[in-house]
């Protein structure tokens, strides 16, 4: 694939660049996406929008932990791919570079991205339901962990359906989206709000929108350019621009 000239020019002259990533950028690292190949991710017969929900935390936190323990186990074998690594190099190239991710897999940080706005939290952290204590998850037995500060229940520090995003994360992301010249949407079906509103915000503020996705997505119609390919193949093409 060749990067179109207009994009080469815009990429070379951009001062403020914002990137929104979704599960697709981790697909080549072996992390299952949620909606690819038409079928939604399922856990014991429950669609992931059900097991990953505020209601399930209330009703069966043990089941929610089993679901996240299973996914963390899969993630132990997953490494950043050339798409993550390319984005990590972009943070040195512009006056202002903002990386916003919907992913909870921590692969952007492992790839070397320093400031990552994690709209949906991080699967490698647990949070106390009562005092808010945060603990990194290194070794974890099965079951619901108990807070070492107040002995109440710990839950995954991940934003589930029906839950608010981390305070400030979305506002910062929206602010950067209104100010950027160039907005990349990489590996997301952009159907989950409020994250999916960011590209529309950027477009309304005059940003040039570029989609990197092997398939069309609902957002394709708003994009100025669509690069139909895998992030791991497409993003390294920008390295020598
Ligand atoms: C909230 C963490 C306020 C958990 C996630 C009705 C209408 C509109 C909205 C709603 C509604 N009913 C409810 C809502 C709100 C709801 C929502 O948007 N629901 C959707 C399903 C309609 N949103 C919320 O609940 C949010 N909170 O609104 O708070 C509030 C609060 C209280 C009370 C009232 C209101 C919280 C949402 C956060 C949910 N947590 N993740 C976990 O991981 O288990 S969402 C999860 O799915 C991801 O984080 C991501 O955000 C989302 C979408 O997934 P994608 O990343 O896009 O992945 P997907 O598989 O869909 O697509 C992959 C793409 O990659 C594809 O296009 C594919 O072609 C492409 N691809 C594949 N391979 C590659 C590739 N691209 C590039 N390279 C490749 N190699
Ligand atoms: Zn506590």
């Amino acid at each position: 694939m060749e990067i179109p000239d207009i994009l080469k020019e815009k990429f070379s002259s951009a001062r403020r660049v914002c990137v929104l990533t979704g599960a697709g950028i981790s697909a080549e690292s072996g992390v299952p996406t949620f909606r690819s190949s038409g079928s939604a991710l399922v856990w014991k017969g429950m669609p992931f929008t059900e097991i990953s929900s505020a209601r399930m935390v209330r009703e069966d936190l043990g089941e929610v932990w089993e679901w996240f323990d299973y996914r963390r186990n899969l993630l132990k074998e997953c490494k950043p791919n050339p798409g993550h690594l390319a984005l990590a190099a972009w943070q040195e190239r512009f006056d202002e570079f903002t990386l916003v991710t919907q992913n909870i897999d921590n692969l952007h940080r492992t790839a070397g991205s320093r400031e990552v706005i994690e709209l949906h939290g991080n699967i490698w952290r647990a949070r106390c339901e009562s005092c808010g204590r945060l603990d990194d998850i290194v070794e974890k037995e099965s079951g619901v962990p108990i807070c070492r500060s107040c002995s109440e229940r710990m839950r995954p520090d991940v934003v589930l359906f029906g839950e608010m995003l981390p305070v400030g994360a979305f506002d910062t992301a929206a602010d950067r989206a209104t100010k950027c010249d160039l907005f990349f949407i990489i590996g997301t079906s952009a159907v989950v709000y409020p994250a999916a509103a960011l590209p529309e915000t950027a477009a309304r503020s005059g940003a040039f929108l570029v989609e990197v996705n092997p398939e069309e997505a609902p957002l394709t119609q708003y994009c100025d350019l669509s690069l139909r390919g895998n992030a791991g193949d497409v993003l390294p093409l920008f390295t020598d621009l």
Side-chain angles (χ1 to χ4, degrees):
M1 174 191 290
E2 180 66 26
I3 303 290
D5 288 345
I6 182 170
L7 183 51
K8 282 182 185 167
E9 194 277 325
K10 285 191 177 289
F11 189 79
S12 310
S13 60
R15 293 185 43 252
R16 291 193 176 97
V17 172
C18 201
V19 173
L20 171 69
T21 63
I25 194 165
S26 298
E28 292 154 90
S29 298
V31 185
T33 59
F34 295 98
R35 295 176 185 80
S36 288
S37 60
S39 61
L41 209 54
V42 168
W43 172 256
K44 294 187 185 174
M46 275 185 272
F48 95 96
T49 47
E50 192 183 324
I51 177 71
S52 280
S53 69
R55 186 175 61 75
M56 275 304 278
V57 167
R58 287 191 300 273
E59 290 177 8
D60 191 347
L61 183 54
E63 190 65 47
V64 174
W65 271 114
E66 208 184 312
W67 158 236
F68 280 98
D69 292 349
Y70 164 76
R71 289 165 70 190
R72 256 197 340 277
N73 242 349
L74 286 182
L75 272 170
K76 279 183 183 148
E77 312 308 321
C78 301
K79 302 264 175 298
N81 67 59
H84 295 106
L85 297 168
L87 288 184
W90 289 15
Q91 61 194 339
E92 318 301 345
R93 295 189 62 157
F94 306 100
D95 293 353
E96 184 174 83
F97 177 73
T98 306
L99 176 57
V100 186
T101 191
Q102 301 169 89
N103 300 342
I104 61 175
D105 59 29
N106 206 52
L107 288 177
H108 282 304
R109 281 222 185 79
T110 312
S113 291
R114 289 184 300 275
E115 284 173 56
V116 185
I117 298 178
E118 293 178 317
L119 292 180
H120 294 156
N122 190 306
I123 198 168
W124 296 102
R125 248 191 341 261
R127 184 176 83 239
C128 175
E129 288 189 309
S130 172
C131 74
R133 175 191 170 108
L134 292 174
D135 283 333
D136 288 338
I137 300 174
V138 185
E139 284 309 318
K140 176 184 172 296
E141 286 116 52
S142 61
V144 178
I146 297 302
C147 175
R148 280 184 279 170
S149 302
C150 73
S151 307
E152 293 297 331
R153 306 189 315 172
M154 302 284 279
R155 49 151 299 153
D157 188 29
V158 171
V159 180
L160 304 182
F161 287 98
E163 294 185 327
M164 300 303 278
L165 274 58
V167 175
F170 185 74
D171 296 345
T172 308
D175 178 54
R176 300 289 179 82
T178 51
K179 290 178 181 153
C180 69
D181 319 310
L182 205 42
F183 192 101
F184 283 83
I185 307 137
I186 303 170
T188 181
S189 59
V191 295
V192 173
Y193 283 79
L198 289 171
E200 294 154 54
T201 303
R204 265 205 310 279
S205 309
F208 189 85
L209 250 58
V210 182
E211 174 188 45
V212 178
N213 194 325
E215 295 167 15
E216 277 217 5
L219 220 63
T220 303
Q221 57 188 315
Y222 301 109
C223 293
D224 297 289
L225 259 183
S226 290
L227 303 178
R228 281 279 163 263
N230 290 331
D233 302 328
V234 172
L235 295 178
L237 297 176
F238 288 83
T239 305
D240 301 330
L241 289 193

